[in-house]
Amino acid sequence: MGIEEFGGGQGEHSDVLVVTTNDVPGYQVQHVIGEVFGLTVRSRHLGSQIGAGLKSMIGGELKGLTKTLVQTRNQAMERLVEQARARGANAVLMMRFDVTEAADVGTEVCAYGTAVVIAKL
C-alpha cells in the first residue's frame, strides 16, 4: 500500500473549507450557522479481526485496520462537508473527530465542527 492510502483531508479545490482552528487568517466570519456533523459506523470484518489478532501477537502496524479507519474518517468528513454545504456554509471551523465503539460490533466515527460563512478581509 502506498502512502496515499493512509491519508485524508480535503482536496485543493473544495468549496467548503474545513479547518481545526477557531478562525481562518485573512477571513472574517460573517455568519455562524451552527454545529454540523458527519457520522458513519463500520462493522468489523471477521477476516481482518483474525488477522489483527495474529498481528498483535508479534507486533507491528495493523495496515488493514489502518486503511479501513482512514476510509471511515474520510467518509465522515465528506458527510460533514455535505451537511455544511446544504446549510449554506462555505467553511467549518474547529473540526474534530470522535471515535467510539458501537455496541461491540463496529466503530463509530463522527466528524463535527461549526458551520460558518466566511469572507476575505
Side-chain angles (χ1 to χ4, degrees):
M1 287 187 273
I3 190 67
E4 66 280 352
E5 295 180 275
F6 294 103
Q10 293 186 287
E12 278 184 49
H13 304 292
S14 179
D15 61 329
V16 177
L17 178 65
V18 178
V19 297
T20 59
T21 55
N22 290 327
D23 53 22
V24 179
Y27 288 81
Q28 178 179 6
V29 174
Q30 292 186 323
H31 178 66
V32 175
I33 294 170
E35 179 192 9
V36 289
F37 66 90
L39 180 69
T40 185
V41 178
R42 294 280 174 107
S43 64
R44 295 190 180 113
H45 180 274
L46 181 59
S48 67
Q49 288 299 100
I50 292 170
L54 293 173
K55 183 75 173 187
S56 68
M57 286 193 243
I58 59 173
E61 181 181 10
L62 307 174
K63 290 186 180 183
L65 291 177
T66 299
K67 185 176 177 183
T68 298
L69 186 55
V70 167
Q71 292 168 343
T72 304
R73 286 173 62 126
N74 287 342
Q75 183 178 44
M77 190 164 167
E78 287 168 11
R79 291 178 178 175
L80 166 84
V81 169
E82 287 171 13
Q83 188 182 62
R85 184 182 299 117
R87 293 183 61 193
N90 65 356
V92 176
L93 304 180
M94 294 295 296
M95 192 282 292
R96 300 287 187 264
F97 286 107
D98 185 39
V99 179
T100 58
E101 293 297 314
D104 292 330
V105 295
T107 301
E108 172 191 317
V109 176
C110 182
Y112 62 95
T114 303
V116 298
V117 174
I118 60 173
K120 276 193 174 262
L121 291 176

